[in-house]
Amino acid sequence: MYRARSLSVVVLSAVLVVLHCAHDVSAQGSNTPSRWQTLSGKPPLVVARGGFSGLFPDSSIYAYNLAVQSSVSDVILWCDVQLTKDAAGICFPDIKLNNASTIETVYKNRKKTYLVNGVPVDGWFPIDFTLNDLSSVFLTQGVFSRTNKFDGSGFQILTVEDVAGQVKPPGLWLNIQHDAFYTQHNLSMRSYVLSVSRRVVINYISSPEVNFLTSIASRFNPNITKLVFRFLGQNETEPSTNQTYGSLSKNLTFIKTFASGILVPKDYIWPVDKSLYLQPHTSLVADAHKEGLEVFASEFANDLVFSYNHSYDPVAEYLSFFDNGDFSVDGVLSDFPITPSAAADCFSHLGNNASKKVKDLLIISKNGASGDYPGCTDLAYMKAISDGVDIIDCSVQMSKDGIPLCLSSINLIDSTDAAQSSFSNLAKNIPIIRGSGIFTFSLNWADIQTLHPAISNPYAQFQLFRNPKFKSAGKFLKLSDFLALARNASSLSGVLISIEVSFFVSGYSCKMRSFRLDSNLVKLTFCSCSFQYAAYLAENEGIGATDAVITALKDAGYDNQTTLKVMIQSTNSSVLTKFKDNKNYELVYKVDENIRDALNSTVEDIRKFAHSVVLNKDSVFPENNLFLTGFSQVVPKLRAFNLSVYVEGFRNEFVSQAWDFFSDATEEINTYYQSAGVNGIITEFPFTADRYRKNLCLNLGNNTPIYMSPVQPGGLFQLITTPYLPPAEAPNPLLTEADVIEPPLPPVTDKQAPSPGGGGTAAAPTQPNGQPKIAAGIFSSLVTLLASLLLF
């Protein structure tokens, strides 16, 4: 068994080099002196629960090795100790082996029922198997929301001695969760711990059982091995004292008699209400420090739902425990040790006036801070400005009375309560759109102002909602109001005006992505296909969005000033061409499909009408089943032609990121900046992006710690064994001249002005069959293509 495990170490060591772009030094701090409010005055410890269990199977050799390779130099490896039938101590996350191993298939008929803490539990238990029996059992991913692609790697169950000898961790933490259970089955956890401590240096031992810790307290030197009392849920009962853990947390003097520290679920320190919003922090850390007890917080994982106050940003959550001005915990127990490593070393003690270490990465909002407030509202824009964004954006839509406004979609159902309003009767089908909608051009601006915004929840199927308390907050803005807001914000460097002339139809050019949620496989399909609707608006609605934007910029004085950058973005070259006369504007061409490369002649064509390009993330780092598979040459090529490159699609929710980024938005931003060399990112969470630019671990050259090094695309994909490889995907298409050259926009047809006060009730012009009219020039050219798409 030892040889097989050693081989796994060799294989992983070879691949770990490509997981991150390795530097000449091992993981280390930035050496920036800081004042910590921990009991020791030193930075908080990072304790890796089962190693890097957020990615690899808990307690596997890959998980332990990656935790050491990617974390602070003094990372502590956590082992949940279980005892086998022959009293061997193994590292396994649960007393039931079937939750995270193949034992159920290897020993199908050996399921048992035992009382665990007085409750009957069915499963496969370690007390029924010898260590040799377990040599044919392999570790698997026990958390359904995490990837199972590494389950075929043959990870064997490790003993405590295996972890200490093969991984050689900087520190080792043994957690003894079920001493009473093992005692009932004539196995002594006390004897095991005392025995293994003679062969292995153990830095921490924790247990939720008072009797166990008191029984070993006199046998350990606290300068070598610290004993930590682990608190469970506040209403659970500790078996030795028959008191709840909540009541014991108020008797720290008693805890101090047998332990040097406490380990508590994080809500003991920062409680949350039923709505998942933070309440004021408790005095637990201060009280424990007064008693001389260290405080460790548990239950940290980047891929779990946590308080909305942190905007799905795990670094922000760690900082609330590390650097809040009142206290700092002495350590955290994490499934993703790379994130608290970076939080402690790179992002703590920045202060409100921290300078930017990165000055060549532009941060552009996506509908304002739309991750925190309904997009394109005054609140979203003001939040983006206060969060440090450089450029705020306005996706221009047109009202029926010709007013340009900022809204994320031309379909009001997408971002307002229009479907539940008195304007629901205005829903209609337009043949070039698959499905119906209530469109901005069907309502006057005064009518649109009466609607309530609706926050975007792109991952609601995963129960990941955005800021529910403010899901309908804020006011919509006309383009002129947006421009005035930007001019009055001294911290901004400019505005981006997006003018799209395409409807999007689902069901074409689709990519499937799968996630496991609980025990269910959830599949998401991301599709896009665009059809031109400029002709429709111009000829049927009498609306010219491009001309309205030109007028608004001129009226606001943006056309002849250089104080604020003006960026005009569109997927249509003809739109950008209409702005070429103003040399102060930066014209931004958005590539609305994923591409693998672009012909040189295509890039030359883009240069004729644009100064920069917006790409989707997949065009930079292509993915397969949420694993990065490589690095395209699109960004280097565009930059070689002196085109700036901005990438969009940045969100904090972990399901939006490839597995390679460890469910951490900061890791993702770091890789796109350092490895891909993009000029800017377009994000719904500007705070996370701006904080990245200020972190203390940048611009350190070869001294950059591993947790602030970019990931290497394809590194994880190489670790997937053949039976678990996802099906190969067709490569992204090549961008050609035909994709970027568009016919000129049609002239705007005069339309009768709307009657006073009737903006919200006028019916759409119809043909005799009751369908809305559509320009004949585009209907005939689209009907065949639309029919083929519906059959796709």
Side-chain angles (χ1 to χ4, degrees), residues 269-270 278 310 315-324 327:
I269 299 169
W270 279 106
L278 285 180
H310 300 309
V315 172
E317 183 183 37
Y318 284 114
L319 290 176
S320 72
F321 287 83
F322 291 168
D323 184 27
N324 57 55
F327 63 84

Side-chain angles (χ1 to χ4, degrees), residues 2 37 39 68 226 284 319 391 397 471 714 757 788:
Y2 180 82
Q37 293 176 290
L39 188 62
V68 171
K226 296 182 179 182
L284 180 64
L319 290 176
I391 307 288
Q397 313 299 341
K471 64 182 180 182
S788 66

